[in-house]
Amino acid sequence: MLILIFILSIEMGSAASPDPYGVILISWDGISKDTLENLLEGDGLPHLTNLLENGTIINISITDHYPDSIAGHAQILTGYSPEQTGVFKSMRYGEIPLGMTVFERLEDTFGSDNISTAIIASQEKSLGTLKGLPFYHAGRVVDYYYGRNSDAGLVGSVASESVYHFGSLGRFFIFAHFRDAADAGYAYGAGSHEQIAAIQEIDEATGMILQALDDLGISDKTVLYVTTDHGFNTGPKDHTGQISLWMVTNEPGYNLTGDQKDIVPTVLKRLGVPYHEMNPPYNATALIP
Ligand SMILES: [Zn+2]
């Protein structure tokens, strides 16, 4: 088994590694690393465990912004710091400047006929596309946008329908966001029975996305990244100071630690986009060799 992992890692790192069919980036909003690790160790997340079979769990840190939903998702989906995006925290944000989101990078690089992009979001404010919200410009270029306050089951079904649709057309990048664990965190605290139940519902809904890939026969050609925007406190029902995060991928051969800013360069590199050429330059590094 170790030998197999070693061989796969070598193949991943080689220049001959084919570009994948698509990338799916999923945010499980507001889940601390220790909460996730306890659930994985207790076999409480069958679908995430399945995804990790040949994959990697990466320690991700927030180093330059307040850990909340709006600043976290701005960084996860741009790779830039708040000084560059103008998205600092819940009460201090604006539209991310034109062209800086990963959706715009991909549409600009490949051309709109050569990639499908989609946002399936369950929180209107932090991921909304109305004028004045951070993802206003992204909303103009994505092929599909869904942004309503929704539970995991609904997000899972909309996201899996998007996979069936775009996955059969060609190259794609899909972002999906699950809010349920953060909602349970605000109401009951991190690691509470209610939050654990919410995380397990999110795992089930993530399984719907994986099933769609299986049904299309493109699981092996699709890279998955599952991460969180910030952790959550157990005592106070908030996320102050929760900057030690995680990301799970279905692929081997990744760095084991990284910055939240590294996620976009990683997505771009995995799709074969030369991220070093982007302007403004990323102060970040892809998590794959
Ligand atoms: Zn959040």
Side-chain angles (χ1 to χ4, degrees), residues 46 48 53 131 138 170 249 252 257 276-277 289:
L48 198 67
E53 191 180 359
K131 187 89 185 125
T249 176
T257 58
H276 289 292
E277 295 170 12

Side-chain angles (χ1 to χ4, degrees), residues 56-90:
T56 315
I57 183 156
I58 302 159
N59 292 303
I60 295 284
S61 300
I62 295 173
T63 56
D64 63 357
H65 68 81
Y66 183 79
D68 72 4
S69 293
I70 201 158
H73 288 112
Q75 186 152 85
I76 288 169
L77 295 168
T78 66
Y80 294 112
S81 63
E83 288 72 21
Q84 292 168 291
T85 61
V87 182
F88 291 84
K89 57 194 290 190
S90 177

Side-chain angles (χ1 to χ4, degrees), residues 116-166:
S116 304
T117 55
I119 301 173
I120 296 99
S122 59
Q123 219 265 10
E124 288 164 353
K125 181 180 153 190
S126 58
L127 289 156
T129 57
L130 294 175
K131 187 89 185 125
L133 291 176
F135 291 95
Y136 170 72
H137 294 297
R140 309 272 83 74
V141 304
V142 290
D143 295 282
Y144 179 68
Y145 175 80
Y146 175 91
R148 268 172 248 155
N149 297 333
S150 308
D151 65 17
L154 185 50
V155 170
S157 73
V158 175
S160 57
E161 285 304 319
S162 298
V163 170
Y164 284 119
H165 180 72
F166 294 119

Side-chain angles (χ1 to χ4, degrees), residues 23-289:
V23 171
I24 300 178
L25 174 59
I26 303 174
S27 169
W28 291 14
D29 196 315
I31 299 175
S32 299
K33 188 162 60 179
D34 53 349
T35 304
L36 188 88
E37 283 171 348
N38 289 341
L39 269 165
L40 282 172
E41 282 164 20
D43 295 327
L45 300 174
H47 298 288
L48 198 67
T49 301
N50 186 24
L51 201 147
L52 264 169
E53 191 180 359
N54 297 309
T56 315
I57 183 156
I58 302 159
N59 292 303
I60 295 284
S61 300
I62 295 173
T63 56
D64 63 357
H65 68 81
Y66 183 79
D68 72 4
S69 293
I70 201 158
H73 288 112
Q75 186 152 85
I76 288 169
L77 295 168
T78 66
Y80 294 112
S81 63
E83 288 72 21
Q84 292 168 291
T85 61
V87 182
F88 291 84
K89 57 194 290 190
S90 177
M91 300 301 283
R92 189 181 169 203
Y93 62 87
E95 291 169 10
I96 295 167
L98 185 70
M100 287 177 80
T101 67
V102 64
F103 308 100
E104 294 160 277
R105 294 297 189 209
L106 292 169
E107 294 281 352
D108 288 347
T109 300
F110 290 109
S112 58
D113 291 343
N114 297 310
I115 188 164
S116 304
T117 55
I119 301 173
I120 296 99
S122 59
Q123 219 265 10
E124 288 164 353
K125 181 180 153 190
S126 58
L127 289 156
T129 57
L130 294 175
K131 187 89 185 125
L133 291 176
F135 291 95
Y136 170 72
H137 294 297
R140 309 272 83 74
V141 304
V142 290
D143 295 282
Y144 179 68
Y145 175 80
Y146 175 91
R148 268 172 248 155
N149 297 333
S150 308
D151 65 17
L154 185 50
V155 170
S157 73
V158 175
S160 57
E161 285 304 319
S162 298
V163 170
Y164 284 119
H165 180 72
F166 294 119
S168 60
L169 297 179
R171 187 189 287 118
F172 62 88
F173 174 73
I174 295 173
F175 171 74
H177 167 257
F178 292 97
R179 64 177 291 154
D180 313 62
D183 290 345
Y186 288 118
Y188 305 102
S192 58
H193 289 300
E194 290 84 356
Q195 200 200 29
I196 298 298
I199 297 169
Q200 290 181 313
E201 282 168 24
I202 295 169
D203 186 67
E204 276 301 310
T206 301
M208 298 167 73
I209 297 170
L210 302 180
Q211 184 63 51
L213 295 170
D214 265 353
D215 291 346
L216 289 175
I218 57 171
S219 295
D220 294 344
K221 299 177 199 158
T222 304
V223 185
L224 287 119
Y225 300 113
V226 183
T227 191
T228 192
D229 52 343
H230 53 80
F232 228 99
N233 290 313
T234 37
K237 292 162 187 157
D238 64 19
H239 31 79
T240 306
Q242 286 285 335
I243 56 173
S244 293
L245 313 178
W246 51 273
M247 184 164 81
V248 164
T249 176
N250 61 333
E251 293 191 315
Y254 282 71
N255 299 350
L256 299 181
T257 58
D259 190 291
Q260 196 173 50
K261 288 194 292 290
D262 297 335
I263 296 172
V264 163
T266 304
V267 169
L268 294 177
K269 180 163 188 180
R270 199 63 195 86
L271 283 165
V273 176
Y275 72 88
H276 289 292
E277 295 170 12
M278 296 298 170
N279 197 22
Y282 293 105
N283 181 24
T285 314
L287 297 166
I288 33 175

